[in-house]
Amino acid sequence: MTAASAPPMIRVAGVDKFFGPLHVLKNVQLEVPKGQVVVVLGPSGSGKSTLCRTINRLEPIDSGLIEVDGQPLPAEGKELARLRADVGMVFQSFNLFAHKTIVENVMLAPTKVRKTPAAEARKTAMELLERVGIANQADKFPAQLSGGQQQRAAIARALAMRPKVMLFDEPTSALDPEMVQEVLDVMTGLAKDGMTMLVVTHEMGFARKAADRVIFMSDGEVVEDSTPEEFFSAPKSNRAKDFLGKILTH
Amino acid sequence: MSVLTNNLDLFLRAFGQTLQLFAVSGVLSLLLGTLLAALRVSPVPVFRGIGTMYVTVLRNTPLTLVFVFFLFAYPLLEIVKIEPYTAAVVALSLYTAAFVCEVVRSGVNTVPVGQAEASRALGLTFVQMLGTVVLPQALRSVVPPMTSTMIALLKNTTVASGFAVFQAGTIRDSLSEQGENVLFGLLWVAIGFVVLVMPLTYAQQVFEKRWSVAR
């Protein structure tokens, strides 16, 4: 199968979403091919987080189509759970399970969802924690870790399911500045390893360095879809110019 | 004191029966109440409706009426014949389950929504999410109100007195028949309940302490 005929990992077609009277996603079109890293930028309230959350149906959509690896999102139920198991998600607020240790957090889904034997799950979990640099924190509870360490644990937890694609919903927005880099380093490493990623972020440095494509959203619409070089040096729309003007001047 | 020592056997049998009513109804109401709470927080509207309706009906009805229903009205339906003792267990369990449901549900609501979202994003089913992530974290905040609910159940067992079910609440009847001093008899019954509730309060302290460190 050639790259051209393979279905995109994520396909969002004509998606509309309302919060009451608020039109948060307006006829959104987006395709993320396998292995690509797509960064979604945009001002607060532009719908970028909502878009990210519709892809594993944490937010249901009102109309349009979303496919993951060629399969349309099923309705809530066992089939949706199966699909979510293949889509890793990292949240702004980490959402580690507060009553479980770090290694238990990473082991939980493989043992419960994939029925992996505990010993094997623990081995994989420790390898992943090693990879994100917090193996020495494995037996602590989430509250005992710094924000950066918690977010790296959350990435390890998502990776433990061997996802086909990873969604990042503002993964560094809740972190102290000195902890942002350690999380971005892990994400850059993932991107280098060929993981398909959709990253909602305000980190322009990451967008420049690790993204294959940049999507710019404003008022619920995809306004620009270009390469990082193009977007940062020669944005086409006024809204993107305005946005970049505000964040790059200082 | 002589009221107690002369009738020790009566007191022991009666309180034994009270404890048995409490234990059986306690376990049943905890199971049913948790199941109802799961219904009330489930994503399926029909399930939520069933849970809400159950709580509305049972919590809004006086316990005495629930007893009356199972002892006098239910037999008229001629489904399965039940003994007064069984009817008391059923009435106490169904009634208390409504309160247990609300206690568990309030506990579930104290768990940040991100915990459920992370579970769903990892592919856990609703039941797995509830069982392994949300309910264990809800336990901590549930302990004090659940203890109160269980204490209420323990004392509510005396409502069975009106329906010829022998337990601590009927000690007075037996004492009257024997011409014993009813005032002191009742005092001993009250002391008996105070003593029975104490372990529950102690259990509350133990559980609160144990679950407060696990995070």
Side-chain angles (χ1 to χ4, degrees), chain B residues 43-59:
Chain B
V44 186
V46 179
F47 289 174
R48 286 203 299 271
I50 293 172
T52 309
M53 201 152 74
Y54 182 96
V55 170
T56 308
V57 172
L58 268 296
R59 197 166 63 151

Side-chain angles (χ1 to χ4, degrees), chain B residues 113-133:
Chain B
V113 67
Q115 298 284 309
E117 277 189 349
S119 319
R120 290 159 71 201
L122 283 166
L124 269 65
T125 61
F126 175 75
V127 173
Q128 288 174 329
M129 179 260 282
L130 217 52
T132 59
V133 176

Side-chain angles (χ1 to χ4, degrees), chain A residues 7-18:
Chain A
M9 188 53 81
I10 299 173
R11 192 160 89 90
V12 176
V15 164
D16 280 278
K17 161 98 189 152
F18 295 84

Side-chain angles (χ1 to χ4, degrees), chain B residues 80-164:
Chain B
V80 183
K81 205 166 167 290
I82 52 174
E83 298 298 314
Y85 175 81
T86 315
V89 167
V90 171
L92 284 167
S93 303
L94 294 185
Y95 177 80
T96 310
F99 292 87
V100 170
C101 166
E102 290 304 273
V103 168
V104 172
R105 195 169 66 94
S106 73
V108 167
N109 289 339
T110 63
V111 180
V113 67
Q115 298 284 309
E117 277 189 349
S119 319
R120 290 159 71 201
L122 283 166
L124 269 65
T125 61
F126 175 75
V127 173
Q128 288 174 329
M129 179 260 282
L130 217 52
T132 59
V133 176
V134 176
L135 284 182
Q137 294 187 64
L139 274 182
R140 200 172 73 107
S141 53
V142 153
V143 171
M146 191 65 87
T147 309
S148 299
T149 305
M150 287 299 121
I151 291 172
L153 167 64
L154 175 57
K155 299 194 284 195
N156 281 342
T157 54
T158 54
V159 173
S161 310
F163 304 92

Side-chain angles (χ1 to χ4, degrees), chain B residues 2-107:
Chain B
S2 64
V3 185
L4 181 66
T5 45
N6 292 347
N7 301 282
L8 197 59
D9 177 57
L10 168 69
F11 272 88
L12 286 179
R13 272 190 302 121
F15 271 107
Q17 196 75 355
T18 295
L19 272 181
Q20 200 185 355
L21 268 177
F22 167 70
V24 177
S25 314
V27 170
L28 290 178
S29 62
L30 283 172
L31 291 175
L32 179 60
T34 307
L35 178 69
L36 285 166
L39 290 182
R40 287 206 74 174
V41 299
S42 89
V44 186
V46 179
F47 289 174
R48 286 203 299 271
I50 293 172
T52 309
M53 201 152 74
Y54 182 96
V55 170
T56 308
V57 172
L58 268 296
R59 197 166 63 151
N60 297 11
T61 312
L63 176 58
T64 318
L65 271 187
V66 182
F67 265 92
V68 169
F69 176 84
F70 281 102
L71 280 139
F72 302 125
Y74 173 81
L76 302 178
L77 298 173
E78 294 183 332
I79 305 167
V80 183
K81 205 166 167 290
I82 52 174
E83 298 298 314
Y85 175 81
T86 315
V89 167
V90 171
L92 284 167
S93 303
L94 294 185
Y95 177 80
T96 310
F99 292 87
V100 170
C101 166
E102 290 304 273
V103 168
V104 172
R105 195 169 66 94
S106 73

Side-chain angles (χ1 to χ4, degrees), chain A residues 53 56-58 76 78 81 84-85 87 89 91 95-100 108-109 112-113 115 141 143 157-158 161, chain B residues 43 112-128 131-137 213-215:
Chain A
R53 291 163 54 86
N56 64 358
R57 212 174 182 280
L58 283 183
E76 198 75 42
K78 285 224 156 48
R84 281 173 174 155
V87 178
M89 182 149 194
F91 300 86
N95 295 344
L96 289 173
F97 302 131
H99 63 309
K100 298 214 174 272
L108 182 94
K112 291 283 168 190
V113 179
K115 312 293 178 201
F141 284 95
R157 179 176 68 174
M161 295 298 281
Chain B
V113 67
Q115 298 284 309
E117 277 189 349
S119 319
R120 290 159 71 201
L122 283 166
L124 269 65
T125 61
F126 175 75
V127 173
Q128 288 174 329
T132 59
V133 176
V134 176
L135 284 182
Q137 294 187 64
V213 289
R215 59 154 64 199

